[in-house]
Amino acid sequence: MTAARSGPAFSLHDIPFSTYGSWFGISPVLAEKTRSEDLHLVSHQNGMHAILRFTPLDATTGDRAATRVEATPGLLTWTGAGGRIGLAYAAPDTVRLRGEGLGLRVTAAADTLTPFTGTYFYRDPVDGAYVFTSYGTGRRYRITVLSGTVAEVSGSQALGTGERGVTVTAGPGGVWDAAIEELDSARLPFTSSETFDAVVATAEQAFTAFVDAVAPWRSSGTPAAELAAYVLWSATVRPAALVTRPAVLMSKHWMDKVWSWDHCFNALALAPGAPALAWDQFSLPFDHQDETGALPDSVTHSEVLYNFVKPPIHGWTLSHLRRRLPEPLSRTELAEIYGRLARWTNFWLTARRAPGAALPHYQHGNDSGWDNATTFDPERVVVTADLAAFLVLQLRELARLATELDLPDEARRWTRTAETTQTAMLDELWTGERFVARGLDTAATWDSSSLLDLMPMALGEHLPEHIGKTLAARIETHLTPYGLATELPTSPHYLADGYWRGPIWAPATVLIEDGLRRAGHHRLADEISARFRALCETHGFAENFDALTGTGLRDRAYTWTASSYLLLADAHAHRDSR
């Protein structure tokens, strides 16, 4: 039987087992706050759907076998007293399974089949394979037994409620082998001359090549780099339906979308070692830009949402991305992204500026990415300094692009707009001690204990020095032993698991760390980086973290967290080497 494999081990309760390009993973996590005792094949086509349940069995008695589940990037194993089962990806849409001493029961996750929901199961008379047809994904899941014995079949062609599935096993001392494919409608019968061990070796080599490309600087000083790379690699899906390019989903748990600011951090982390994939990440939301220039809130397999937007951090991102890419963008690429970024910027300058206003506004906390931050407690349609700051950076990047494209008049116009926007931000929202938010309906102003009020630090070197120092001092009050709390822990509104009302988040960390460093506050930037890296090394790559305990919260396999770790670890490694 296959020997133990190398690579970072991880818990399937935190991170799904999957591979680059696949739309499905193997996980006990079936939905938000829903976990199963058994591992399932969970697909993300047409939404998140648990399709198949895997139950290891004692090969002698046929009873459920107690097993220990272990996973590394190339191999998942169930190990029990009587034997072992291995699972590995042979292709993005195909897994191979091999068992010795244990059988495996594969059943439909949904017990009930209706005319519109559930999973239909039958034996294909063409090739003898067993097929599950899912209403949830609109796809088929074909099991081909390559060696061993089909010990039991139940529910074939059955309607209504009941168990549907097949049991694969082998005689004493024997080994069974099977393949499961996710396919659209039909495919030639599955055949393979590749051994299971060869499948595992190929999968391991693919991951090793990826991590060597995106984190060649890794060392004992960056111990979570390989696992961070696995989170990105395994969450990447091939183009399908509305996903126009290879895409790194935020997770192959329930956060299985590309949101229009999350993608920026994935692009930056991938840029030096996987530049084509990085450019695809940056570009994907722009493929769905609407007629006003707005980017969608999110994109996933079968859905593009426009009811909210996300903050315009794309100029900041593009500035860093261009420095991180190993080759400069071509003039054609520059011209294309210039047009897209200009339309996105003009959306904020037209559709999101009230008549006579100098500054744009958010219509809801969701537009900021900080959905429920306390900045939005008094009102939701508000002018905030973080939005103005991001827009200033975007305008400055547009001016640089226009200069490179020999468009001097446009470069001057973007520069003037950047200057007037920053001036208005300081005149209207800076009190002399802090930034405030302003309502559109009431014109009232207020401050809060949210880190969001301090995000203009992202302007870095463009901030007046005295304002930068004031912001840096306030930012330091948000620093816990684990990182930057998004709400002051002393605030009456602080919530340990309050989404943006307390927990530590990766994007806020990266944006503030970068702004501090560009403004010359290196000591504080170093401290923020060190604490966030230690947080990930201890508690993984969760969507966010309890600011006072470090515990990972919500989705535990979040790619922008992994990317943010890689960005900070990369920079730290290079500072150390200098």
Side-chain angles (χ1 to χ4, degrees):
M1 188 60 190
T2 308
R5 297 287 169 167
S6 60
F10 55 92
S11 168
L12 287 172
H13 287 282
D14 293 335
I15 301 171
F17 181 77
S18 192
T19 196
Y20 184 99
S22 180
W23 278 94
F24 67 85
I26 311 300
S27 174
V29 179
L30 310 186
E32 185 177 7
K33 299 180 181 178
T34 303
R35 294 174 183 267
S36 170
E37 178 184 357
D38 293 317
L39 297 184
H40 284 63
L41 185 153
V42 181
S43 180
H44 298 275
Q45 298 205 60
N46 205 32
M48 181 183 184
H49 301 280
I51 307 299
L52 303 177
R53 178 189 297 110
F54 299 110
T55 307
L57 304 176
D58 184 297
T60 303
T61 66
D63 296 331
R64 176 189 291 271
T67 58
R68 179 180 72 257
V69 176
E70 297 173 306
T72 58
L75 177 66
L76 182 158
T77 57
W78 292 264
T79 304
R84 192 154 98 166
I85 301 168
L87 182 151
Y89 277 85
D93 61 4
T94 304
V95 292
R96 284 277 294 275
L97 296 113
R98 181 185 176 188
E100 181 179 5
L102 292 176
L104 186 68
R105 179 77 173 151
V106 183
T107 55
D111 288 335
T112 300
L113 176 66
T114 77
F116 305 103
T117 63
T119 304
Y120 173 63
F121 174 61
Y122 65 97
R123 180 180 180 276
D124 190 336
V126 173
D127 59 7
Y130 296 89
V131 181
F132 298 83
T133 298
S134 167
Y135 278 99
T137 64
R139 268 72 190 170
R140 295 165 184 247
Y141 302 83
R142 182 171 72 178
I143 301 178
T144 302
V145 179
L146 303 173
S147 67
T149 304
V150 175
E152 181 185 358
V153 178
S154 60
S156 180
Q157 301 186 47
L159 306 178
T161 299
E163 184 177 275
R164 298 166 174 82
V166 58
T167 298
V168 187
T169 189
V175 176
W176 60 264
D177 195 343
I180 302 178
E181 304 163 90
E182 182 177 55
L183 51 91
D184 291 340
S185 56
R187 186 178 290 177
L188 291 174
F190 181 87
T191 59
S192 177
S193 59
E194 200 173 24
T195 66
F196 182 79
D197 282 352
V199 169
V200 175
T202 299
E204 289 178 337
Q205 291 161 9
F207 172 68
T208 298
F210 180 85
V211 71
D212 285 347
V214 302
W217 39 262
R218 67 194 187 278
S219 70
S220 59
T222 55
E226 287 197 4
L227 190 56
Y230 175 75
V231 170
L232 288 175
W233 181 76
S234 63
T236 303
V237 296
R238 64 190 185 278
L242 297 172
V243 174
T244 50
R245 303 163 182 261
V248 181
L249 303 179
M250 289 312 102
S251 173
K252 278 184 182 168
H253 284 152
W254 61 91
M255 300 294 281
D256 55 355
K257 297 184 179 185
V258 176
W259 275 270
S260 291
W261 71 312
D262 309 44
H263 70 111
C264 292
F265 301 90
N266 290 341
L268 290 173
L270 292 166
L277 183 61
W279 190 245
D280 282 333
Q281 300 325 295
F282 184 71
S283 301
L284 192 152
F286 286 96
D287 293 346
H288 296 279
Q289 198 167 17
D290 75 9
E291 66 276 6
T292 72
L295 297 183
D297 185 41
S298 63
V299 178
T300 192
H301 179 270
S302 303
E303 177 184 81
V304 180
L305 298 181
Y306 292 92
N307 54 327
F308 295 105
V309 292
K310 284 293 173 277
I313 67 165
H314 302 81
W316 171 86
T317 304
L318 184 60
S319 175
H320 285 284
L321 186 60
R322 291 208 286 158
R323 286 193 289 272
R324 290 179 63 78
L325 289 169
E327 299 291 337
L329 297 175
S330 69
R331 188 174 181 86
T332 299
E333 289 170 323
L334 283 177
E336 180 184 40
I337 197 57
Y338 173 73
R340 290 177 157 196
L341 195 64
R343 290 192 294 276
W344 175 221
T345 305
N346 282 327
F347 163 80
W348 289 99
L349 296 174
T350 55
R352 290 300 181 90
R353 280 203 302 191
L359 296 174
H361 59 270
Y362 292 130
Q363 294 176 345
H364 187 279
N366 289 0
D367 286 341
S368 74
W370 293 53
D371 309 1
N372 65 336
T374 53
T375 300
F376 301 100
D377 280 0
E379 301 179 37
R380 261 58 63 196
V381 182
V382 296
V383 174
T384 63
D386 69 294
L387 173 54
F390 294 144
L391 195 61
V392 167
L393 292 173
Q394 192 151 294
L395 288 159
R396 291 187 183 280
E397 182 63 15
L398 281 168
R400 283 189 286 270
L401 289 169
T403 299
E404 293 177 43
L405 292 167
D406 301 318
L407 302 169
D409 291 344
E410 294 188 25
R412 285 190 288 271
R413 176 168 60 84
W414 294 124
T415 299
R416 282 196 305 271
T417 307
E419 291 170 349
T420 58
T421 301
Q422 181 161 331
T423 298
M425 178 188 75
L426 297 177
D427 288 346
E428 298 180 22
L429 302 178
W430 178 251
T431 68
E433 297 180 352
R434 63 188 308 144
F435 282 106
V436 295
R438 189 182 74 244
L440 264 291
D441 291 339
T442 65
T445 61
W446 60 87
D447 57 41
S448 77
S449 297
S450 175
L451 187 65
L452 182 63
D453 293 5
L454 306 177
M455 288 306 293
M457 192 72 242
L459 281 167
E461 71 277 18
H462 302 296
L463 275 174
E465 185 177 359
H466 71 285
I467 294 179
K469 287 182 177 179
T470 301
L471 291 179
R474 288 188 177 276
I475 287 166
E476 196 155 13
T477 66
H478 284 258
L479 192 57
T480 76
Y482 303 97
L484 289 172
T486 47
E487 179 79 8
L488 274 177
T490 56
S491 162
H493 306 294
Y494 177 86
L495 294 171
D497 185 10
Y499 228 49
W500 294 92
R501 301 171 80 92
I504 295 165
W505 286 79
T509 301
V510 169
L511 285 160
I512 284 181
E513 191 268 358
D514 173 69
L516 286 166
R517 203 171 291 286
R518 288 188 290 108
H521 300 282
H522 296 287
R523 179 199 61 80
L524 182 54
D526 286 346
E527 193 61 37
I528 290 169
S529 171
R531 294 190 192 189
F532 185 80
R533 285 183 282 112
L535 175 67
C536 293
E537 288 159 6
T538 304
H539 294 282
F541 304 105
E543 185 180 354
N544 53 70
F545 303 86
D546 186 312
L548 301 183
T549 68
T551 302
L553 303 171
R554 309 298 176 108
D555 195 313
R556 300 297 296 275
Y558 218 70
T559 55
W560 76 354
T561 307
S563 287
S564 295
Y565 176 83
L566 291 172
L567 282 168
L568 295 173
D570 182 3
H572 169 70
H574 284 92
R575 282 194 298 273
D576 267 12
S577 68
R578 289 197 298 270

